[in-house]
Structure formats: C-alpha cells, structure tokens
Amino acid sequence: MMQESGTEATNGTANQNGAAACVERHREVQSKSATPSSDITASDLVNFQQQQALQVARQILLQQQQQSSALKSPKNNDKQPAPQVPVSVAMMTPQVITPQQMQQILQHQVLSPQQLQLLLQQQQALMLQQQLQEFYKKQQEQLHLQLIQQQHGSKQQSKEVSAQQLAFQQQLLQVQQLQQQHLLSLQRQGLLSIQPNQTLPLHSLTQGMIPVELQQLWKEVTNSYVKEENSATNNGHRGLDLSSPSPVPHKNHNQHGSTNGQYISHSLKREGSALDDHSPHSHPLYGHGVCKWPGCEAVFDDFHSFLKHLNNEHALDDRSTAQCRVQMQVVQQLELQLSKDKERLQAMMTHLHVKSTEPKPTPQPLNLVSNVTLSKTAPEASPPLSLPQTPTTPTAPLTPLSQTHSVITPTSLHSVGPMRRRYSDKYNMPISPDIVQNKEFYMNAEVRPPFTYASLIRQAILESPERQLTLNEIYNWFTRMFAYFRRNAATWKNAVRHNLSLHKCFVRVENVKGAVWTVDELEFQKRRPQKISGSPALVKNIHTTLGYGPALSAAFQASMAENNIPLYTTASIGSPTLNSLASAIREEMNGAMDHGNSNGSDSSPGRSPLPAMHHINVKEEPLDPEEHEGPLSLVTTANHSPDFDHNRDYEDDHGNEDML
DNA sequence: GCAGACCTAAACAGCC
DNA sequence: CGGCTGTTTAGGTCTG
C-alpha cells in the first residue's frame, strides 16, 4: 500500500491518491470492520470511534467481570487468559481510565450522560491519537525510506531523482496536511487531546520540509494545549480559558466537552487578521474592537468585555459547534487550496530549474494567491462567477484531501430534489436580504434556491425599478439570479406562469407594451403563514444537495434546534458559499425573525475577505484560477460546469438580457 | 387523517 | 403553424 502511494506520488494525481491511500491506511489501522465505503469523512471517523469507544467500554466491563469472577475462583486465575481485547483497548486503557474507574462510573452512574460522553470522547481521542501516531510514523518511515533509496540511486538520474524528491515532498506535504487536518478536526471537536510534549514523530522527521505555515499551524495547535494545560482547573480541560487571567466559569452542558475556548479560537486564528497573538490583550477572535466570531461582529470597548462576550455568547453549545465545524471546513478547503498552489509552484520551480527544494520560502497569506487572481474581478467585487466551485465548497468532507473527487458530481447537483424549502414564505418574510447576500452563490451554484416560486417572482418584481415585470423579464431574472434556473426551463417557467396565475398576490396589468405583472403586497401578506418546523427538510435538502457530511449536517441540525442563530450573517466568514448556506439555514431558523440585523443591505459577499474560497473546487477538474479570470459572464460560468446542459435554455435568455 | 402550501405536469385557449 | 402567454386542473409531497 505504501508502495503504491509512493509511486503515485510521482505523478500528477499524487495528491488525491496519496491522501486516499493515507485515509485507507488510517482506516485499516483503526479497524478492519469499518464500512467498505470508498470515502470516509471525519464524521464517519467520529462515528466509528464512538462505536469503538462503546465497544471499549463493554470490553472493559467484561474484563472487569471476568477478573472479579476469577478472583472468586482462584483456580482459573492463572490459566485463564485475559480476554481478547482489541489493540486499541490495550493501548489506551492504562493511560486514560482504569477499568475500575470505568465500572464505577457506569455502575454508580455518578456521571451525567454528558459527562459519560465526554469520557468516551476522551477515550476515543487517546485511542485515535495513538493510531494516528502509528499511522503517520509508518507513513513517514516509508517515505523516508523511499527518499533515501532515491538519493542513493544513480547519479545519471539526478533529474529524475529531484523530480521524485519533489513528488516525495509533495506527498510529505500532503501527509502532513492530512495529519494536521485530522488533528485539527479532532481537536476542534474536542476529541483529541495532545500533551504539549507529545509531538508526533512526523513533526521532527520532516521539520525541514514542513512549510512554514504548517509549522505555524502546528505551533498554534500545540501552544493552545500548552496554554490550556497551564490554565487547567478542576474542570479539567473543559475550562474555558481564552487567555484571560480569570476564566469565567460557565455551565458546560454540552457533550463536546473540550471543544470550546482555545481550541476554537486558535483554530480560527488563521481566519483573523494580522493580530499579534502575543499581546496579552489580543485575541484571534478580537480585532478593531469587534468580535470576529463568524457572524457576530459585536463591538466592544475593551478587551475584557469582549472576553466576557466570548464566554457568554460563544460558549460551547451546538451553535458554536456547528459554526466551528463550518469554519473547519473553510480552513480545510483553504489548506487544500494552499497545497495545490504549492504543488503548482513546485512544478513551476522545477520546470524553471530552480534549485530550491523548499516548498515555499516564506509563509504566504492563505488568500494571497487568490487575491492576485481575483484582482481583475468586477468593480463591485463580485466573486469570479466563472468558478464552478460554489456548490461544492461546503460539501467538502472533513478529509478533503482524500475526497477531492467523487464527493459530489455535477450530476448530483442537478438531481436536486423537489423544492420544499420554502422558508422564505414563512410569515411572508422578505427574501431580499438573503438573495442579495447570497447572490453570487445562487448565481454560480446550481443549487435550488430555498425560496418558493411565489417569493422569487415577488422578489423579481420588487427588484425592478417600476415594480413590474413582464413574464419574460421574470424569466430573465430567474436565469440571471439563479444558476439552477438555467436548466429545465420548461418546468420552472411553467411553474412561474402557474404561480402568477394562481396567486392572487400577482396582478396582471395591461401595459402599453403588453402585460406586466405586479405584486399586491397585501395579498402576499395575507397568505397563510407557515409555522417553522425546525426544518429538517432544509437540512436534508442541503445535505443531500450539497453533499454535506453527516457531521456538519448534524451540527446544523443541532444548531437549528436553537433559535435565532446568526451563523454567518455577512461576509465575515468570507465564503459566499458557506455564507449563503449558513445564511439560508439561519433564515430557516429565524423564520419570521427580523432581517434587520442580517446586514443584508450592505453585505456583498463579493467583499469577502477570503476570496480564496472562490477558487475552491472539490470537483475533479484541476484548479485553474488563471482560466477563470474572464468577465463576469454567466455563460462563462455555465461553460465551466461540465454537466451544464442548460445552454439551450439559458442562451435564449442570454440573448436579450444585459448581464449584470 | 386532514387541510393547506407547494411543486410538477399537462391541457387548453388566445394572441402574435 | 409554432411559440408565447395565461388559465386551469390534477396529482403528488410535505408540514402543521
């Protein structure tokens, strides 16, 4: 297996294949009873770990019982071999919790289910940590071996060797990234607890090759644990210490015991601006007096009030967890993008016979490359519409490197289920903020907008200068605003006509140039409001449509269980995709809530501080930002979608339509 | 189970 | 005649 990945690393597909091999390997290390699914997500991993942890607990109990029975009958004590315990159990049990403790816990039920869950997660964390170490160690040894073999090869093949070294470096990089992502994911979910002095072998082995940025990331991760341990209280590592002198104690009723506080904040550090992390009054989530928690943007006079706010408003709960997971995906996508760009740079350097073998001499802002490539975008700072990434961005699995393909296909996007996400009609609330907010997303992503036809028609009409549109203009608005409506025109146009006729709120007015449609707001408001249902349908739709990992979906569902969650209200997170998704969910959750605080009016996703996200692509096609710098043309967008067979329909519209 | 909202499909008519 | 527009009906799903 490692041989395979080693050889594959020499070709262009090394990234995906190698990573996939890593994951496969990883799974094998964990267990051979894993599901035979071809791709694995972090949620799968977590689920599996939970199952395994439960199994561990059972094993421990069984072992305990057998031991106690053995004590009662000393005859068997010597000959009776210890029950078969999985390797992982053998590895973890002595370090984490003794069987006695476990049994005591279970028998006396001294702990709440949440605490039990926390314990289980700690068990899983240690178990997985060791598995990870083992896996990465093997991976590293293999790579190192191959590298050495290459170095001892014939000198006549020096060029080949250097190229293969490059490939090895790339593989190393990807291994590191995989490792980082695994660790970060686990840490951010509070599942992994690394002791400060517990560096993985990979780190030291490949230190010279680690990109500075990854090293920095690593430092951040480990430092967070250093700090955390220093500030550990009786609460163990659940304490929420946000670099404040006195951590504010708060109830921790969530099962993700150690997800809060520093983990998140340090994870999100990359998103923040160039704050000086070493200053006592700085925080990655705090900048220019504003809370930088995605979607928050609360203003604070002093750092202390911010910390208070952080502890109170962004405490460990489902909402924060969901937001954190989204952020995880953002980061992972950025990392993926970074790795790809670095590979490209490497290839360029190799091609130009640059001698350096360092992946990159200096750390680069994650969005720098993309900033450059985006410099030609429209003045209104819309994201490059030509990028086909949007619908796939949030679908990225938690192990993106392993699943850059086959996660989602254009076909899957096209096979969107029936429109049942009609949250915009609930309480007849306006959809304009959301549409404005997620304009670019819907323009690019062939994702069915979660609005009813009636709402969309109304929106189209209200957006027009005279608040009236002809049928054809309404059509054009649909195709212009939503990539989804560039296909199956017959269907949705029929639906539009049907809605126009059916709903009283749409009034046909004979005009000089024909008939136009207007909106009777009173009638529109009269329509029966729908109760908010907690919207499992939306979650399901988003999940199925966009290929959300179950974990993220669950997180969103969990966060939707709460009310009024401003996930990512504006461009704060920087990804129009995630932004829009989250916003859609937020809308769904808010229901009739006031949109006034959604910043929809002044929130152009195009001003995203992380335009790099626009380049994220989980599809099979290689990322080629240079090829997507064309004018903001929806046709261009369409043509970049491999399975975009709407051209017939849309080009008809395009003929008589001013594009933006 | 029911009613309502919604979506999709289709038939049909009138107009250009 | 064909396409567009507009109306209406029918059947289905989903939700409260």
Side-chain angles (χ1 to χ4, degrees):
Chain A
M1 146 124 29
M2 299 320 294
Q3 203 62 32
E4 277 180 23
S5 61
T7 51
E8 281 168 354
T10 60
N11 60 35
T13 62
N15 200 354
Q16 285 88 0
N17 292 339
C22 294
V23 173
E24 283 299 320
R25 169 84 183 213
H26 183 196
R27 289 170 54 200
E28 283 185 13
V29 169
Q30 283 185 89
S31 167
K32 295 186 179 174
S33 64
T35 56
S37 165
S38 60
D39 42 27
I40 179 172
T41 65
S43 58
D44 295 334
L45 204 61
V46 171
N47 287 336
F48 171 69
Q49 290 158 14
Q50 287 174 348
Q51 290 175 7
Q52 211 173 25
L54 283 172
Q55 195 180 352
V56 165
R58 292 195 200 103
Q59 292 274 5
I60 291 169
L61 282 176
L62 186 65
Q63 193 177 6
Q64 268 298 102
Q65 288 164 3
Q66 290 183 357
Q67 282 177 359
S68 59
S69 63
L71 283 176
K72 288 175 185 174
S73 54
K75 297 174 188 175
N76 301 332
N77 200 14
D78 294 332
K79 293 185 179 180
Q80 182 83 13
Q84 287 291 327
V85 179
V87 177
S88 54
V89 180
M91 287 193 301
M92 55 172 287
T93 42
Q95 301 179 31
V96 186
I97 187 167
T98 65
Q100 289 84 0
Q101 287 171 323
M102 175 68 89
Q103 195 178 20
Q104 190 180 13
I105 286 165
L106 292 175
Q107 280 179 349
H108 299 284
Q109 296 182 343
V110 292
L111 293 181
S112 65
Q114 286 82 10
Q115 288 170 316
L116 276 175
Q117 180 107 12
L118 181 65
L119 279 169
L120 277 178
Q121 288 176 346
Q122 290 174 1
Q123 299 269 346
Q124 301 161 25
L126 264 159
M127 181 174 65
L128 185 70
Q129 180 184 346
Q130 285 164 335
Q131 289 166 351
L132 275 174
Q133 287 185 26
E134 183 183 342
F135 161 61
Y136 288 120
K137 190 175 181 180
K138 287 180 181 173
Q139 182 95 340
Q140 281 302 308
E141 288 171 355
Q142 187 74 31
L143 287 171
H144 202 63
L145 190 63
Q146 289 174 352
L147 195 59
I148 290 172
Q149 286 173 353
Q150 288 297 330
Q151 284 170 346
H152 287 75
S154 166
K155 288 181 182 176
Q156 295 168 347
Q157 302 170 341
S158 59
K159 282 185 182 176
E160 257 185 67
V161 167
S162 68
Q164 286 174 345
Q165 282 176 346
L166 171 64
F168 284 139
Q169 280 184 27
Q170 291 173 354
Q171 194 181 1
L172 277 174
L173 173 66
Q174 101 195 22
V175 167
Q176 289 160 4
Q177 283 197 315
L178 190 65
Q179 178 193 24
Q180 301 278 0
Q181 287 167 1
H182 273 129
L183 293 174
L184 281 174
S185 300
L186 293 167
Q187 288 164 2
R188 286 163 190 168
Q189 296 174 50
L191 293 180
L192 186 56
S193 156
I194 294 183
Q195 302 308 314
N197 55 353
Q198 205 170 352
T199 19
L200 295 183
L202 173 69
H203 189 224
S204 54
L205 243 176
T206 62
Q207 198 159 19
M209 291 174 163
I210 291 179
V212 180
E213 190 167 324
L214 288 178
Q215 284 185 357
Q216 181 61 32
L217 183 63
W218 182 262
K219 273 185 201 167
E220 292 171 9
V221 170
T222 49
N223 282 344
S224 70
Y225 283 89
V226 175
K227 285 185 191 174
E228 187 220 1
E229 189 169 73
N230 290 341
S231 63
T233 61
N234 288 337
N235 289 335
H237 59 283
R238 287 186 297 160
L240 177 62
D241 180 11
L242 297 165
S243 305
S244 65
S246 58
V248 177
H250 71 284
K251 286 174 286 185
N252 225 331
H253 53 278
N254 194 287
Q255 53 186 5
H256 307 287
S258 54
T259 318
N260 203 5
Q262 294 213 342
Y263 300 13
I264 297 175
S265 63
H266 282 267
S267 324
L268 300 181
K269 190 179 292 181
R270 312 184 71 70
E271 177 207 22
S273 61
L275 279 171
D276 183 11
D277 295 332
H278 306 293
S279 168
H281 281 327
S282 71
H283 192 282
L285 288 173
Y286 183 67
H288 303 293
V290 174
C291 174
K292 294 197 165 189
W293 187 276
C296 179
E297 296 178 344
V299 182
F300 300 98
D301 294 334
D302 62 308
F303 186 70
H304 212 72
S305 55
F306 158 74
L307 286 177
K308 215 169 183 177
H309 157 83
L310 192 61
N311 287 336
N312 291 332
E313 300 299 320
H314 307 304
L316 176 57
D317 54 13
D318 289 337
R319 177 183 65 176
S320 300
T321 306
Q323 291 171 326
C324 186
R325 288 184 178 168
V326 172
Q327 188 63 21
M328 278 168 55
Q329 301 232 335
V330 172
V331 172
Q332 286 167 354
Q333 291 293 343
L334 288 171
E335 288 172 349
L336 174 63
Q337 173 67 23
L338 177 67
S339 75
K340 291 196 170 195
D341 278 328
K342 282 180 175 174
E343 280 181 34
R344 183 176 304 163
L345 175 63
Q346 278 290 316
M348 293 164 66
M349 289 166 70
T350 306
H351 176 69
L352 298 175
H353 304 286
V354 176
K355 202 179 176 181
S356 166
T357 56
E358 290 294 322
K360 193 155 281 194
T362 55
Q364 202 175 22
L366 283 171
N367 55 355
L368 183 56
V369 175
S370 300
N371 279 339
V372 173
T373 58
L374 288 171
S375 59
K376 294 185 194 170
T377 50
E380 67 179 60
S382 295
L385 297 180
S386 53
L387 295 173
Q389 96 295 347
T390 29
T392 61
T393 302
T395 76
L398 292 173
T399 53
L401 279 175
S402 65
Q403 297 184 0
T404 42
H405 40 221
S406 82
V407 172
I408 192 167
T409 63
T411 313
S412 67
L413 282 176
H414 294 167
S415 59
V416 175
M419 181 191 285
R420 286 291 182 268
R421 294 157 285 172
R422 43 184 196 246
Y423 72 86
S424 61
D425 269 2
K426 290 167 184 171
Y427 298 91
N428 302 323
M429 61 193 220
I431 63 173
S432 44
D434 194 85
I435 287 185
V436 170
Q437 214 171 334
N438 306 301
K439 184 177 170 184
E440 282 80 10
F441 172 65
Y442 292 124
M443 283 171 115
N444 296 312
E446 241 181 293
V447 174
R448 178 150 212 165
F451 314 106
T452 62
Y453 281 115
S455 301
L456 290 174
I457 294 167
R458 172 178 169 273
Q459 180 67 20
I461 293 171
L462 293 183
E463 276 189 13
S464 64
E466 300 177 8
R467 301 213 157 194
Q468 56 179 29
L469 286 179
T470 66
L471 181 65
N472 196 44
E473 287 169 340
I474 294 173
Y475 289 161
N476 292 339
W477 186 87
F478 269 67
T479 51
R480 185 173 67 244
M481 300 297 289
F482 302 96
Y484 178 83
F485 293 120
R486 289 165 213 157
R487 321 169 19 89
N488 303 324
T491 298
W492 66 261
K493 282 180 178 178
N494 185 24
V496 167
R497 292 196 304 273
H498 166 77
N499 274 267
L500 281 171
S501 294
L502 192 67
H503 297 305
K504 290 182 191 169
C505 57
F506 299 121
V507 182
R508 187 172 175 272
V509 177
E510 288 287 344
N511 204 347
V512 189
K513 53 180 181 180
V516 293
W517 290 93
T518 61
V519 177
D520 185 345
E521 277 296 321
L522 273 179
E523 279 294 330
F524 190 86
Q525 303 296 334
K526 264 200 238 169
R527 294 162 66 212
R528 192 184 84 157
Q530 281 190 298
K531 258 294 193 174
I532 301 175
S533 62
S535 57
L538 176 71
V539 175
K540 191 182 77 181
N541 274 326
I542 289 178
H543 177 234
T544 54
T545 300
L546 301 177
Y548 256 121
L552 188 56
S553 177
F556 279 133
Q557 288 194 46
S559 60
M560 285 157 95
E562 298 193 26
N563 56 354
N564 190 21
I565 295 177
L567 270 173
Y568 296 106
T569 49
T570 64
S572 59
I573 192 171
S575 163
T577 307
L578 292 167
N579 184 22
S580 54
L581 270 167
S583 173
I585 292 166
R586 184 197 69 246
E587 294 274 351
E588 178 76 9
M589 291 183 293
N590 283 348
M593 298 303 291
D594 181 17
H595 276 65
N597 59 352
S598 68
N599 296 339
S601 58
D602 189 24
S603 64
S604 167
R607 294 184 202 142
S608 154
L610 288 175
M613 291 302 294
H614 301 314
H615 289 285
I616 288 164
N617 189 348
V618 196
K619 294 177 185 174
E620 288 192 29
E621 306 139 306
L623 286 170
D624 263 325
E626 298 84 358
E627 295 178 6
H628 300 301
E629 293 180 4
L632 294 173
S633 163
L634 289 172
V635 175
T636 308
T637 306
N639 291 339
H640 280 287
S641 183
D643 192 21
F644 210 43
D645 59 349
H646 70 277
N647 290 345
R648 170 180 53 87
D649 297 325
Y650 181 62
E651 278 171 0
D652 292 343
D653 300 322
H654 183 238
N656 52 7
E657 172 182 343
D658 49 339
M659 302 308 296
L660 303 179

